[in-house]
Amino acid sequence: MSGQVAAIDLGATSGRVMLADIGPGRLELEQVARFANDPVQLWNGHRTALHWDVPGLYREACAGLAEAGRRSDRLITIGVDSWAVDYGLLRDGALLSLPYHYRDSRCEDGVPAVHRSIDPAELYARNGLQFLPFTTIYQLAAEKVSGRIDLADRALLIPDLIGYWLTGRRVTERTNASTTGLLHTTGYWDDDLAARVGLRAGLFPALAEPGTELGPLLGGVAAPLGLSTRTTVTTVASHDTASAVVAVPMDSDTAAYISCGTWGLVGVEVSGPVISAAGRQANFTNEVGADDRIRYLHNVMGLWLLSETVRQYQREGYRADLSELLAQAGEVRPMFDVFDTADPRFLAPGDMPGRIRDWYDERGLQVPMTRPEIVRAIVESLAAAFADGVQRAAELSGTPVRTVHIVGGGSQNRLLCQLTADRTGLPVLAGPVEATALGNVLISARAHHLVDGDLEALRHLVATRFPPQQYTPRTRRTSISRTVGAGKGSTMKEVRP
C-alpha cells in the first residue's frame, strides 16, 4: 500500500513543503512550496536584536500544506523538521515574543554564565556536545541574565512549536532535544544541570521519539487549509541534520557523511556516545539520531560562507550568480592558503568577502582579491575543513572510513565535491539533494506502515530511487589515506590562528 505524506522542512535560509508518494519500493518526492527564511532585526529597548519570523514561517508552511492537500488524494500525516538549538518561550500556551536567532550576539552573556556554574570538561562529560556559543543552554542562560526566562512557563524547540500550533500538543522530539545541552548522555533531561545553571526543571516538555503520532490537526487549522482532521502530525527526526542522516544512502559502517547546507555537519554514525578528552578538544559532538543511533560529528561553517558572499556582491550592485562564480572559481589556480572557516568573525551576517580578505591580510598571506578568487578560497577551505573533519571523526570514533557521502545543497556543488574527494583521497558519493525532506517523510511513513524496516532498509530505498553521483580522487598526494586515519598532506598550506 502506498500513501501521501508531507514534510515541512525549515532550513536556516529557506523553507519548503514537500509531498511524498511512498510505499514498498516507491518513493516520489515533489516540492509544493518554497519560501525564504529571512531573519528580522528588532529594537528591544537596548539594542537591535536578531530574531526569526516564526509566525511568518508557519503561515508559509500552512499555505504549502493547503497546496499539498489539493494535490493529494489523501494526505495521511505531516512531519516537521528545522534547524537546531532555537526555541520559543511560552506563557499560558501563547508565544511571548519572536524567537531569537542563534546568530544574535546575546549568547556572549550566556557562555560565561554557564561556565561559572559548571566546568566545560564536566559539561562535555554530561551532555557530550561540542562547544558552540549558541547552543540552547547558553541561550537560556542569556535569557536568565535578562530576566526574560522568568516570564515563561514553557519552551518549545522550533519544530515542536510548529507541531504545537498544528495539533495543540506539546512535546520535545528527542533528536532535537539532544542539541540543547540539557539532555544527559544517558538520554534523559538533566534536571541537576538545569538547576546548576539557574534554569527551572521541566521548562521543556516530555521527550517524544521520532515516529510518535502527535495527534490530528486541530479543527481550526484543518478547515481553513481544506484538510481533514483525519490528517495527523507525526514527530520525525526533527533536527534537520538527523533527518538528513536518515536519508544518507550508506550501505556499510565504513562511511562518513557530510550534510552540507548552511552548515556542514561532518561525522560518522555510531551505536553509542563517544566521550573523550580528545573528542572535546577536537570539538566533536554526540547528537541523537533516529533509531537510537548517535551522530558523532563536527560543525563546519558550510555554505553560509558562499551565500553570504553572494549577498554582499548583490549589495554592491553585482548581479551575482553562484553557478557562474563557481565555474569561474574552477578556473582559478589554487594558489592561496586555506583559511580557518571556524574563525568566529565569519558567524555573523555582513561583508563576508571583506572579512575573508582581512583574515589573510592579518597573517601576511597572499590575499584573494577577485570574486572568483574569493569563491575558490572559500571552496578550497571548506573542502579542507571537511577532510579534516572526516579524518578526526574516523580517528576519534575508531571508524575505518572508506567512503564519504555528501548530501543536501552542497551535493550540487561539483567543485566542492571534487575537491573534497581530492583532499580526503576517498571516493565521494554526492546526493540526494533533498536528504532532509526524504528522511522526514521516511520516518513518518514508517510510523504509518507505508514502509517498514530499519535505517538500512530506508537508506536502500533512497539509494535505489536517488542514486548518488561518484567523485573519484584525482590524486593521492592530498589524500588522508585510502582508509582514513593515517595523516594528510595538502597542496595548499593550512594556516591556523
Side-chain angles (χ1 to χ4, degrees), residues 399-478:
T399 302
V401 174
R402 298 184 177 90
T403 307
V404 178
H405 288 264
I406 298 181
V407 299
S411 66
Q412 300 178 100
N413 189 325
R414 297 176 61 87
L415 180 60
L416 178 60
C417 292
Q418 185 60 62
L419 291 177
T420 301
D422 294 343
R423 285 184 167 270
T424 59
L426 299 171
V428 165
L429 298 177
V433 175
E434 294 291 355
T436 300
L438 286 167
N440 179 319
V441 300
L442 284 166
I443 292 296
S444 60
R446 187 176 66 174
H448 288 265
H449 310 293
L450 298 174
V451 294
D452 55 25
D454 57 14
L455 286 186
E456 284 65 38
L458 300 183
R459 288 164 177 165
H460 178 72
L461 178 58
V462 172
T464 301
R465 180 61 186 84
F466 303 94
Q469 179 176 354
Q470 181 163 326
Y471 292 82
T472 302
R474 292 175 294 194
T475 173
R476 297 187 63 174
R477 186 173 50 182
T478 62

Side-chain angles (χ1 to χ4, degrees), residues 223-273:
L225 302 181
L227 299 177
S228 168
T229 53
R230 292 192 300 271
T231 299
T232 66
V233 176
T234 300
T235 61
V236 296
S238 69
H239 178 202
D240 53 9
T241 304
S243 272
V245 172
V246 167
V248 174
M250 298 184 285
D251 61 1
S252 75
D253 57 2
T254 60
Y257 57 81
I258 302 171
S259 178
C260 186
T262 301
W263 288 90
L265 295 309
V266 185
V268 294
E269 190 174 69
V270 293
S271 59

Side-chain angles (χ1 to χ4, degrees), residues 168-181:
R169 185 178 174 195
R170 294 180 287 192
V171 301
T172 309
E173 188 278 318
R174 185 179 293 277
T175 69
N176 219 5
S178 72
T179 72
T180 64

Side-chain angles (χ1 to χ4, degrees), residues 1-8 17-23 26-32 64-65 67-69 71-80 227 231-234 236 437-451:
M1 181 185 74
S2 65
Q4 291 86 40
V5 301
I8 299 173
V17 176
M18 310 292 286
L19 180 63
D21 190 347
I22 186 168
R26 180 174 179 79
L27 179 55
E28 303 292 335
L29 192 66
E30 176 188 11
Q31 179 177 287
V32 298
L65 291 178
E67 179 60 25
R71 300 190 192 189
S72 173
D73 297 331
R74 183 170 73 91
L75 183 60
I76 296 172
T77 195
I78 300 160
V80 186
L227 299 177
T231 299
T232 66
V233 176
T234 300
V236 296
L438 286 167
N440 179 319
V441 300
L442 284 166
I443 292 296
S444 60
R446 187 176 66 174
H448 288 265
H449 310 293
L450 298 174
V451 294

